[in-house]
């Protein structure tokens, strides 16, 4: 990462921290990413039952914690344990681990070569705690590493009576992130929320931050990567975050790269491109 970080045209975003080496979205993973030279560290943000903001990738808890053992019977009808059904105090009591799935009653790591499941001790933390962690490291090292929060499933939160986007932007303002030149990108997959942040939420708070439209392939999203779609996104976003196969097709071979127009269209509309996710796991 440090070599790339020296180029002003490239930024290295630590996806869930140094998540190939330590359990994702833990403060140790963020510390390692910082030490490895990342320009930005990423935060996926979800809201709790008592309106607190926590850093975790899923809106559910069972993939990366011991919630099923600690709070049996607290799942919804689909068998999943939703963060929004738990208070911050309850969530802080959980132990966090590398992502796993259950097979024959046993926890099996989703990525066998990563940090072992259930070893050592890791915890969930709040967005405020992580911001203070990064800002603290900036003070102690003299570097200026940025943050990269994602508004996670904002439509789900709104349907549950929680305005996640407004809450995240409010915390960012409290910690001094108020203008586009500040070291922060705010990202989301939901275009309606992107527009709402641009048109309503940020003006109401008196801030103007860089926004990123996250993109994933599949049916229903084709319009976003068309010439007209990119032009529309650029009215609201400063950048796009596409899944990397939307730029270079997965069927590409050495010397035979199938490259889309996505980067060209984004740049033509004045947007940065921050693709995800580059990792060593087999098949990824």
């Amino acid at each position: 990462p440090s070599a790339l970080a020296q180029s002003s045209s490239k930024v290295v975003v630590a996806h869930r921290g140094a998540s190939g080496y330590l359990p994702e979205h833990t403060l140790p993973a963020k510390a390692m990413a910082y030490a490895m030279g990342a320009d930005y560290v990423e935060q996926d943000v979800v809201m709790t039952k008592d309106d607190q903001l926590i850093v975790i990738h899923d809106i559910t808890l069972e993939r990366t914690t011991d919630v099923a053992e600690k709070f049996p019977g607290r799942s919804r009808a689909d068998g999943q344990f939703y963060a929004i059904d738990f208070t911050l105090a309850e969530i802080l009591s959980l132990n966090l681990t590398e992502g796993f799935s259950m097979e024959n009653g046993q926890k099996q790591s989703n990525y066998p070569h990563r940090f072992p499941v259930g070893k050592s001790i890791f915890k969930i933390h709040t967005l405020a705690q992580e911001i203070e962690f990064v800002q603290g490291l900036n003070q102690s090292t003299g570097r200026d590493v940025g943050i990269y929060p994602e508004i996670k499933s904002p439509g789900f939160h709104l349907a549950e009576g929680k305005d996640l986007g407004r809450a995240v932007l409010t915390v960012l303002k409290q910690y001094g992130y108020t203008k586009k030149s500040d070291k922060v990108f705010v990202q989301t997959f939901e275009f309606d929320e992107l527009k709402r942040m641009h048109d309503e939420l940020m003006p109401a708070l008196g801030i103007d931050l860089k926004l990123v439209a996250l993109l994933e392939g599949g049916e229903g999203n084709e319009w976003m990567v068309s010439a007209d779609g990119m032009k529309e996104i650029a009215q609201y976003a400063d950048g796009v975050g596409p899944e990397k196969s939307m730029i270079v097709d997965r069927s590409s071979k050495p010397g035979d790269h199938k490259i889309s127009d996505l980067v060209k269209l984004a740049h033509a509309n004045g947007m940065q491109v921050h693709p995800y996710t580059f990792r060593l796991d087999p098949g990824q």
Side-chain angles (χ1 to χ4, degrees), residues 74-143:
R74 293 278 297 275
S75 62
R76 292 195 179 186
D78 61 5
Q80 294 184 285
F81 296 78
Y82 287 79
I84 207 167
D85 295 334
F86 294 80
T87 66
L88 178 61
E90 289 173 330
I91 287 171
L92 294 181
S93 75
L94 300 174
N95 289 319
L96 188 64
T97 187
E98 182 61 49
F100 63 88
S101 54
M102 297 299 294
E103 295 179 22
N104 301 319
Q106 299 292 317
K107 294 178 181 178
Q108 299 294 326
S109 175
N110 295 335
Y111 296 104
H113 300 292
R114 293 189 181 185
F115 200 93
V117 170
K119 302 297 183 182
S120 193
I121 182 73
F122 302 97
K123 295 287 184 177
I124 294 172
H125 56 273
T126 66
L127 175 62
Q129 287 168 339
E130 178 153 340
I131 292 173
E132 291 176 4
F133 187 75
V134 173
Q135 291 185 347
L137 283 168
N138 282 342
Q139 179 173 319
S140 63
T141 66
R143 293 177 61 203

Side-chain angles (χ1 to χ4, degrees), residues 176-192:
Y177 301 98
T178 61
K179 55 191 184 298
K180 286 189 187 293
S181 57
D182 291 332
K183 292 292 285 288
V184 59
F185 289 89
V186 181
Q187 59 180 340
T188 186
F189 276 103
E190 296 184 20
F191 190 55
D192 286 346

